[in-house]
Amino acid sequence: MPTPEEASTSRSASPVAQEEKPTFKALGLIDPLLTALEQLNFTSPTDIQVAALPPALEGRDIIGVASTGSGKTAAFALPILQKLWDDPRGLFACVIAPTRELAYQISEQFEALGSAMGVRSATIVGGVDEMAQAVALAKKPHVVVATPGRLQYHLENTKGFSLRTLQFLVLDEADRLLDMDFGPILDKILKVIPQERTTYLFSATMTTKIGKLQRASLSNPVRVEVSEKYSTVSTLLQYYLFIPLVQKDVHLIYIANSLAQNSIIIFTRTVHDCQRLAIIMRTLGFPAVPLNGQLSQSARLGALAKFKSGGRKVLVATDVASRGLDIPHVDVVINYDIPTHSKDYIHRVGRTARAGRSGKSITLVTQYDVELVQRIETVTGKRMDEWPTDKEEIALLRERVDEAGRAATNEIKDQAREGHGRKRRREGGGKDERDRDDDVVEAGMPSGMKKKAKRRQ
């Protein structure tokens, strides 16, 4: 809930008729940004941009309550870039995001919007070599986009890197940051950045955790909201398919067959099912790639790039892909597993039917999922329609799908055995320098002793 001070400066961003919206120029943006927006085909501002840009350009702190796909990245990037144009100096802004993919996406948008200004951005996330990141930070980027853990690592370990000159701090998807228990790390980061700064906090919901974070990090903020409740867009057609648990795989393949020309994201609850279904689909001739948190960062970015470019028509993903990612032209979202929380369902299906386009979502419902579906329908205020099926065609598919499932299980077991073998070889006599250094860290040596040990090697 807003404080009394906030209430007086709170702005509602309820949808505005297209003809009533001001232009980007009328909102006060400078020519280099207008040129970049034109090149990116951003023709008119979204609701959150209309509400957030005027107070942001005045220098106010912002609390933005906006769902995924609402244009909030540009809502916080544009005022930061405009201030950078007026007063270019040192590390200017830091954006903290909950996932690596979202961090890369935000960084790309900063560089695209700031292309006429020569803006340099550094992406600092886990799964990437720390030394290469330290080199990137030494080149004095204007904007750092980071996940919390890796940002804290560099603040503590990278000589010469600090946030002392920071003018802007952005916490994007703040509700997700706190859901993922980044709270203690955020507290440490907030202690080492200047008190005199501008802060933007963007979140899909205002929870009590967000309220505490807001009080700790914002000064007399303006609160802007795109919508007050969770909802799905009107151009999204939502379907369900009620099936026995043991028939989930064959029904998934049946749906994928009937939508073979479409780009599809399939969401699973577990990494294991993500890997298994990707193998099953490839075995049956579908161009599918997996995306989950256990893949290396290069593999994750590669999978996203293949799917975005159309090189692969099917992306099988865990919820690492459900929030914030702007993947254009997704025709269908299939929920292989129903998410436990209704808001996660809304974020998942929000990958399709974006920017006024139409899209479909299909949710596989077993005998154990009925209550979850009813809860989702209550939250969204919309009933799902039943997806039509052909029982004879499903029966014909069953044997091939079962065989592909057995092959996928065996392949995953083989991969696990190879992984254990590599680990045992590393733990034997033939360790490389990086393995030995990791052992030093695990042994709990002080950092000074660690450096001496590394020099001896």
Side-chain angles (χ1 to χ4, degrees):
M1 292 292 291
T3 63
E5 294 79 25
E6 278 179 54
S8 63
T9 55
S10 182
R11 305 187 184 198
S12 172
S14 54
V16 185
Q18 189 71 22
E19 62 272 18
E20 295 175 7
K21 280 187 184 177
T23 62
F24 281 114
K25 187 171 185 176
L27 290 171
L29 293 178
I30 56 176
D31 287 340
L33 294 177
L34 294 174
T35 301
L37 287 163
E38 189 177 337
Q39 289 171 346
L40 293 168
N41 291 321
F42 288 9
T43 53
S44 63
T46 64
D47 295 325
I48 188 65
Q49 291 160 9
V50 169
L53 283 173
L57 291 171
E58 291 169 8
R60 299 289 300 275
D61 283 5
I62 302 290
I63 301 170
V65 182
S67 59
T68 182
S70 60
K72 59 186 171 55
T73 304
F76 62 72
L78 289 167
I80 290 172
L81 292 169
Q82 181 136 325
K83 295 289 184 182
L84 177 62
W85 177 266
D86 294 337
D87 184 18
R89 50 176 161 152
L91 175 55
F92 198 75
C94 178
V95 183
I96 301 178
T99 66
R100 301 171 186 179
E101 287 73 25
L102 181 55
Y104 277 103
Q105 183 175 291
I106 293 169
S107 191
E108 287 170 4
Q109 189 140 20
F110 262 99
E111 292 193 341
L113 290 169
S115 57
M117 301 162 52
V119 168
R120 298 187 308 278
S121 175
T123 310
I124 305 300
V125 299
V128 178
D129 179 59
E130 296 95 336
M131 187 57 70
Q133 291 177 343
V135 170
L137 291 171
K139 292 179 179 177
K140 306 297 182 189
H142 301 108
V143 181
V144 167
V145 186
T147 49
R150 185 53 66 92
L151 179 63
Q152 185 191 14
Y153 170 87
H154 283 288
L155 286 170
E156 293 177 350
N157 297 283
T158 299
K159 189 175 180 181
F161 172 62
S162 77
L163 300 176
R164 284 194 297 269
T165 63
L166 200 68
Q167 300 295 305
F168 285 87
L169 174 69
V170 182
L171 300 172
D172 192 22
E173 301 279 6
D175 55 335
R176 182 81 184 275
L177 281 168
L178 296 177
D179 283 348
M180 295 168 75
D181 295 327
F182 284 128
I185 298 177
L186 292 176
D187 289 339
K188 288 182 180 179
I189 293 169
L190 289 171
K191 287 176 183 173
V192 298
I193 59 178
Q195 293 294 316
E196 292 295 319
R197 66 173 190 273
T198 304
T199 306
Y200 300 152
L201 188 154
F202 279 82
S203 176
T205 54
M206 283 303 295
T207 64
T208 53
K209 285 183 180 178
I210 298 292
K212 289 177 184 175
L213 183 60
Q214 159 201 330
R215 287 191 290 277
S217 57
L218 281 81
S219 172
N220 190 24
V222 176
R223 177 168 165 173
V224 294
E225 293 191 47
V226 165
S227 60
E228 295 180 359
K229 67 183 285 295
Y230 287 121
S231 61
T232 52
V233 296
S234 58
T235 52
L236 174 69
L237 302 175
Q238 300 176 68
Y239 299 93
Y240 75 93
L241 191 52
F242 189 62
I243 52 173
L245 179 64
V246 294
Q247 294 185 19
K248 282 178 86 171
D249 288 358
V250 70
H251 280 82
L252 175 69
I253 298 303
Y254 168 78
I255 294 169
N257 252 340
S258 61
L259 298 169
Q261 300 307 311
N262 293 269
S263 60
I264 303 171
I265 299 182
I266 300 167
F267 281 106
T268 68
R269 187 175 293 125
T270 66
V271 170
H272 179 269
D273 273 338
C274 174
Q275 296 289 96
R276 187 179 64 83
L277 290 174
I279 295 169
I280 288 174
M281 300 201 81
R282 286 201 298 265
T283 302
L284 296 173
F286 293 94
V289 286
L291 176 63
N292 60 67
Q294 287 189 10
L295 295 172
S296 69
Q297 189 57 37
S298 59
R300 287 162 69 166
L301 292 174
L304 262 181
K306 286 175 185 174
F307 185 68
K308 280 185 172 183
S309 67
R312 297 289 185 273
K313 283 286 191 181
V314 181
L315 181 71
V316 187
T318 58
D319 278 318
V320 74
S322 70
R323 294 215 13 192
L325 296 187
D326 184 19
I327 306 173
H329 312 303
V330 176
D331 301 311
V332 184
V333 168
I334 300 175
N335 289 303
Y336 179 83
D337 296 309
I338 300 183
T340 308
H341 301 292
S342 301
K343 69 176 183 179
D344 292 329
Y345 169 86
I346 292 166
H347 286 300
R348 285 182 179 187
V349 301
R351 299 306 97 214
T352 185
R354 295 171 75 82
R357 292 188 291 267
S358 61
K360 297 183 181 74
S361 70
I362 306 166
T363 299
L364 300 185
V365 183
T366 72
Q367 62 269 38
Y368 306 108
D369 303 323
V370 176
E371 187 180 336
L372 290 173
V373 172
Q374 290 172 339
R375 198 182 307 159
I376 288 167
E377 290 181 333
T378 300
V379 169
T380 61
K382 294 179 182 176
R383 296 290 299 272
M384 299 181 202
D385 297 320
E386 186 172 7
W387 183 260
T389 56
D390 183 327
K391 291 183 179 178
E392 289 184 9
E393 192 173 332
I394 290 167
L396 290 171
L397 280 171
R398 189 165 298 147
E399 188 175 338
R400 286 176 58 214
V401 173
D402 288 347
E403 189 177 324
R406 288 190 290 272
T409 300
N410 290 334
E411 185 172 330
I412 289 171
K413 285 179 181 176
D414 289 343
Q415 289 171 354
R417 277 195 291 268
E418 286 176 16
H420 289 315
R422 283 195 297 271
K423 186 177 179 183
R424 279 198 300 272
R425 285 194 294 276
R426 282 200 304 270
E427 290 171 352
K431 298 183 180 182
D432 63 20
E433 184 174 324
R434 184 160 185 166
D435 291 327
R436 287 195 298 271
D437 192 38
D438 286 344
D439 288 348
V440 173
V441 177
E442 287 167 11
M445 279 189 177
S447 58
M449 289 177 67
K450 172 186 157 188
K451 288 174 184 173
K452 289 177 184 175
K454 195 167 183 179
R455 280 199 295 270
R456 284 198 301 272
Q457 292 162 8

